Amino acid sequence: MNAGILGVGKYLPERIVTNVDLEKIMDTSDEWIRTRTGIEERRLAGDDIDTSDMAYHASVAAIEQSGVKPEEIDLILVATVTPDQSFPTVSCMLQERLGATKAAAMDISAACAGFMYGLATAQQFINNKAYKHILIVGVEKLSKITNWEDRNTAVLFGDGAGAVLMGPVSDGKGLLAFELGADGSGGKHLYKDMENGTLVMNGREVFKFAVRQMGDTCIRVLEKAGLDKTDVDYLIPHQANLRIMEAARQRLELPPEKMSHTIRKYGNNSAASIPIALAEELEAGKIKDNDVIVMVGFGGGLTWGGIALRWGV
Ligand code: ACO
């Protein structure tokens, strides 16, 4: 049984905060942020919208597109490091709000690679026929844990959610291979400080790790799928920094138009960035039936993950 994507949805808060807006509250510049990261603006959720709200809106869109009814969902996986609270989980909150009466529910904590961990986990349940329909959500309200006094990190992040509904698809379609990994020794480079509750990052160390790991993961996942660089139609990398994404694109020798870059308008949405980008590319008609897509992410932990999939049902 092959596991594929039956529906995709996204949610972005309405409030746009531009680099120029940030210039007014911290010692930074539009020019610095643009050239070092590729970010021009980001969306920030207000106090009235928490992580579970964004997850809900993205999920409703994905479920509608899939044609699957909420009561037919067997499992809900939510990748997030910014849940409403530690428990009940965002996935349990969603289970109730969506009316997914039959679904089991758990959150996955693998930072920006969380959505990759979610897809690979869901694939196992579907392949072995334990479950048929699984909702996977990547969602973050990073503004909750952003240190607005730290210009090194505050300019990078945005809030948002993306969701996919996975289920059985025909032979040759769906997930072809995955690659997941972790290196806890690098945990010190990117973490949430429990004293003040904000994110701390050693940007240069994370940058070096990410450039190496994104490219390597792409190559390994293609090998596992029995594919070559030339088979790839579209690359959807975690939207952390345009320079990191470009390095992955160059490793795959893809032209610029074959890589997603939603980072310009949304910044880094952590676990939500890959499903948001997927939703945008589908809306723009850039992904077609039978296309080979590579998704790849990395994040705190340190963690990483890649997926090769053939689009279609
Ligand atoms: N505005 C202006 N200047 C700044 C800013 C800012 N917002 N931030 C840092 N600077 C300054 C620094 O203080 C430094 O000044 P100094 O040399 O006088 O000390 C200078 O700019 C250069 O800093 P670098 O760290 O060398 O800049 P770099 O080119 O490495 O870019 C960046 C920094 C963008 C953070 C980069 O290292 C990066 O993207 N790292 C990876 C980040 C990442 O991907 N994190 C993982 C995701 S986390 C998550 O997803 C939840």
Side-chain angles (χ1 to χ4, degrees):
M1 190 75 80
N2 279 358
I5 294 175
L6 311 179
V8 183
K10 71 173 199 294
Y11 174 84
L12 277 310
E14 278 171 25
R15 184 172 159 228
I16 297 172
V17 176
T18 65
N19 293 345
V20 175
D21 294 331
L22 293 181
E23 282 178 358
K24 293 172 196 150
I25 58 165
M26 64 183 77
D27 180 17
T28 189
S29 69
D30 176 45
E31 205 270 332
W32 192 95
I33 302 171
R34 245 176 234 259
T35 52
R36 298 296 179 110
T37 71
I39 300 167
E40 293 174 20
E41 55 188 49
R42 70 284 294 138
R43 303 292 182 96
L44 299 185
D47 292 341
D48 55 330
I49 301 175
D50 210 339
T51 303
S52 63
D53 301 307
M54 295 191 285
Y56 172 76
H57 295 304
S59 299
V60 167
I63 292 167
E64 261 174 34
Q65 198 182 80
S66 73
V68 172
K69 296 190 190 74
E71 58 272 23
E72 293 171 329
I73 298 172
D74 299 298
L75 175 65
I76 300 174
L77 300 172
V78 175
T80 187
V81 291
T82 50
D84 298 37
Q85 67 270 310
S86 61
F87 65 95
T89 54
V90 175
S91 50
C92 280
M93 296 170 80
L94 270 187
Q95 189 263 353
E96 197 232 339
R97 208 161 150 189
L98 293 168
T101 44
K102 206 176 78 178
M106 67 172 168
D107 284 8
I108 293 178
S109 187
C112 309
F115 187 73
M116 297 291 91
Y117 273 72
L119 288 187
T121 304
Q123 183 200 21
Q124 309 318 305
F125 285 110
I126 294 169
N127 278 9
N128 73 18
K129 298 189 184 158
Y131 290 143
K132 195 167 176 195
H133 296 125
I134 303 183
L135 175 70
I136 306 106
V137 186
V139 57
E140 301 290 0
K141 189 175 178 183
L142 289 165
S143 57
K144 282 197 290 200
I145 63 163
T146 300
N147 178 355
W148 293 102
E149 317 264 278
D150 176 16
R151 67 173 183 174
N152 291 289
T153 54
V155 301
L156 303 175
F157 304 115
D159 301 331
V164 300
L165 199 293
M166 276 180 72
V169 292
S170 48
D171 268 359
K173 300 253 176 105
L175 265 70
L176 305 172
F178 71 86
E179 164 90 10
L180 300 176
D183 176 7
S185 72
K188 57 184 177 289
H189 299 314
L190 182 54
Y191 60 95
K192 182 174 156 188
D193 181 335
M194 293 312 282
E195 253 171 59
N196 63 11
T198 57
L199 183 145
V200 181
M201 182 177 78
N202 179 340
R204 277 179 211 185
E205 284 303 320
V206 177
F207 192 93
K208 278 191 280 177
F209 153 78
V211 165
R212 188 186 68 246
Q213 199 59 58
M214 292 275 270
D216 287 356
T217 302
C218 289
I219 301 296
R220 279 199 296 269
V221 83
L222 284 174
E223 271 170 19
K224 283 186 179 176
L227 296 171
D228 187 69
K229 287 179 199 179
T230 54
D231 296 312
V232 179
D233 294 296
Y234 218 80
L235 171 66
I236 306 183
H238 170 43
Q239 309 279 309
N241 182 316
L242 189 57
R243 293 183 289 150
I244 297 172
M245 294 155 55
E246 282 292 322
R249 180 179 71 74
Q250 281 155 16
R251 277 288 287 281
L252 292 182
E253 295 170 38
L254 282 174
E257 65 274 14
K258 297 228 164 181
M259 179 181 78
S260 252
H261 44 87
T262 53
I263 187 166
R264 186 186 68 73
K265 48 185 187 169
Y266 302 143
N268 178 350
N269 305 119
S270 186
S273 83
I274 293 175
I276 289 172
L278 173 65
E280 295 246 328
E281 303 314 345
L282 286 163
E283 281 165 21
K286 295 210 189 126
I287 293 172
K288 299 186 185 59
D289 196 42
N290 264 318
D291 275 357
V292 170
I293 302 169
V294 171
M295 303 182 197
V296 61
F298 68 93
L302 299 167
T303 55
W304 61 89
I307 297 279
L309 75 89
R310 190 177 292 281
W311 192 254
V313 293

